[in-house]
Amino acid sequence: MENIQSNSLYPCGRPLLSYPEPMKLVILGVTGSIGRQTLDIVRSNPHKLQVVAVSCHGNVEVLQQELALLAEACPDAPLPLVAVTDPLARAGAAGQFSNRLLGEGPSALIEAVEAPESVHVVVNALVGAVGLAPTLAAARRGVRIALANKESLVVGGELVKAAVFAHGAEVLPVDSEHSAMAQCLSGRTEHEIHKLLLTASGGPFRQISSDALQKVSLEEVLNHPTWNMGPKITVDSATLMNKGLEIIEAHHLFAVPYERIEVLVHPGSFVHSFVEFVDGAVLAQLGTPDMKLPIQYAISGEKHWPLPGSRLDLLKIGQLHFEEPDLVRFPCLALAIQAGRDGGSATITLNGANEVAVAALLDRKIRYADIPRIIEEVLESESIHPVGCLQDALAFDTQARRAAGALVARLSQAEREV
Ligand code: NDP
Ligand code: MG
């Protein structure tokens, strides 16, 4: 159902889908940081929400613990279908989930979206480009997508938009900055937006010199000052690649050109983002750093349901502080902005190279400072092409990973020889 008034992926000014309670949820990536917080929300709202399918990759033990807690909180709800995408872990789990266990590999994520008889909301809390195909499957099902997996839009923003418009689905952002913008945009159209102001905590290395950045340890990289998140996004927050991915995410969600999306470093993470309107009015959404608020706001269809937790004390905070991001010390941000502006396959190459580099850092094969070098070299070596379909996107992703993998091998070899 296309609306000529509004062309943004996020349904600016368009009516949202409406569902009876309990709303039926598929949670992809249920064992992760966002996935487990989503289950917490379900357990607090057993009459409003019901889980019909979940996925994890290899962490079957956490999955079992989480599902046991869910069954305790929601004793009347039927047990959900289960996708375990890692083949070895799935083989080990076969006896535990019997006929509720879906197929093997990434296609089980599609099954988790398609198999339940009734689905209202797909929460995509997967990490990485693997999230794109299930986002497209959810769009084809014409349902609400509560999207944490920003890589879906970085790799396939145009594909997601086409599928959402063709099938009457909707994408509501879970990322806290984009949720903040959505809250500021409630009831307005994208034509009223002048500029998006995306806040960034600045990560653990905000005040560290370029020289010192060459030597930071993995433990320092993983020590985020304000948010407690999964390992990949924690590394992305330390390189500021996360903010770069979020610029691309905001561009696709709100149909705002890159030159009108700005980043503000805001160390306290109290202001989750701003929207400046065409008349000069600037709206912001503030709160303590707690992902449950944006997760719940997206799942509920933009309702402010009660949520226990700490509250913002503005008198205690006293002042709000903002700085310009440093693109020289944090080249990943500059690389992401350039890839976004270049368009086509450039953001797929950026993302694929980043995923490989981050995994190599987490495996202690390379150093923090190698990450932007790898991404830059891969971006230089890969030419930019249009992306017509999912298969194109996956082919460009594979190519970027191959190129980045070769660089990781070279760098880790050099490291061993030092
Ligand atoms: P986590 O690493 O904590 O969780 C990732 C989830 O995806 C886990 O359930 C994991 O399963 C599963 N998974 C990992 N690899 C694969 C794979 N190859 N195939 C299928 N499933 C896989 O990530 P987060 O929860 O931190 O982040 C999820 C998404 O949300 C990311 O895109 C991130 O950028 C975004 N986001 C996260 C925020 C946060 O606070 N954490 C804030 C804003 C956005 P298993 O546990 O079995 O390995
Ligand atoms: Mg964010």
Side-chain angles (χ1 to χ4, degrees), residues 150 175-177 242-243 246:
K150 63 192 85 185
D175 215 347
S176 59
E177 295 78 0
N242 184 49
K243 218 39 60 179
E246 289 183 354

Side-chain angles (χ1 to χ4, degrees), residues 114-294:
E114 292 178 346
E117 203 172 303
S118 171
V119 172
H120 300 129
V121 185
V122 173
V123 181
N124 188 340
L126 297 166
V127 63
V130 72
L132 172 59
T135 296
L136 291 172
R140 286 194 299 273
R141 218 177 152 158
V143 297
R144 173 173 303 148
I145 304 165
L147 189 65
N149 178 256
K150 63 192 85 185
E151 295 91 344
S152 284
L153 298 186
V154 172
V155 173
E158 295 300 330
L159 304 177
V160 173
K161 184 168 163 183
V164 161
F165 274 73
H167 299 279
E170 79 189 5
V171 173
L172 301 182
V174 166
D175 215 347
S176 59
E177 295 78 0
H178 306 73
S179 172
M181 293 174 190
Q183 290 173 60
C184 296
L185 285 166
S186 178
R188 305 168 207 279
T189 69
E190 75 255 35
H191 311 294
E192 293 169 76
I193 306 172
H194 175 60
K195 204 187 212 179
L196 302 174
L197 296 140
L198 196 60
T199 53
S201 71
F205 305 136
R206 183 172 63 88
Q207 293 175 308
I208 288 183
S209 71
S210 286
D211 281 352
L213 276 178
Q214 305 301 312
K215 299 178 207 117
V216 294
S217 69
L218 178 58
E219 287 65 31
E220 289 169 307
V221 172
L222 293 177
N223 185 22
H224 194 276
T226 47
W227 295 96
N228 186 7
M229 310 175 286
K232 193 256 179 183
I233 184 174
T234 304
V235 175
D236 285 347
S237 299
T239 59
L240 291 203
M241 177 55 90
N242 184 49
K243 218 39 60 179
L245 301 180
E246 289 183 354
I247 291 178
I248 300 167
E249 181 185 10
H251 167 77
H252 287 295
L253 277 170
F254 302 111
V256 172
Y258 284 101
E259 56 276 17
R260 288 197 273 120
I261 306 176
E262 227 173 78
V263 173
L264 286 174
V265 174
H266 168 49
S269 301
F270 300 115
V271 181
H272 297 312
S273 277
F274 302 87
V275 177
E276 182 182 323
F277 291 89
V278 285
D279 58 359
V282 179
L283 297 193
Q285 186 258 338
L286 286 76
T288 52
D290 180 355
M291 284 307 296
K292 279 196 200 145
L293 192 158

Side-chain angles (χ1 to χ4, degrees), residues 22-34:
M23 283 193 266
K24 310 240 164 104
L25 256 59
V26 174
I27 309 175
L28 303 176
V30 78
T31 47
S33 161
I34 296 289

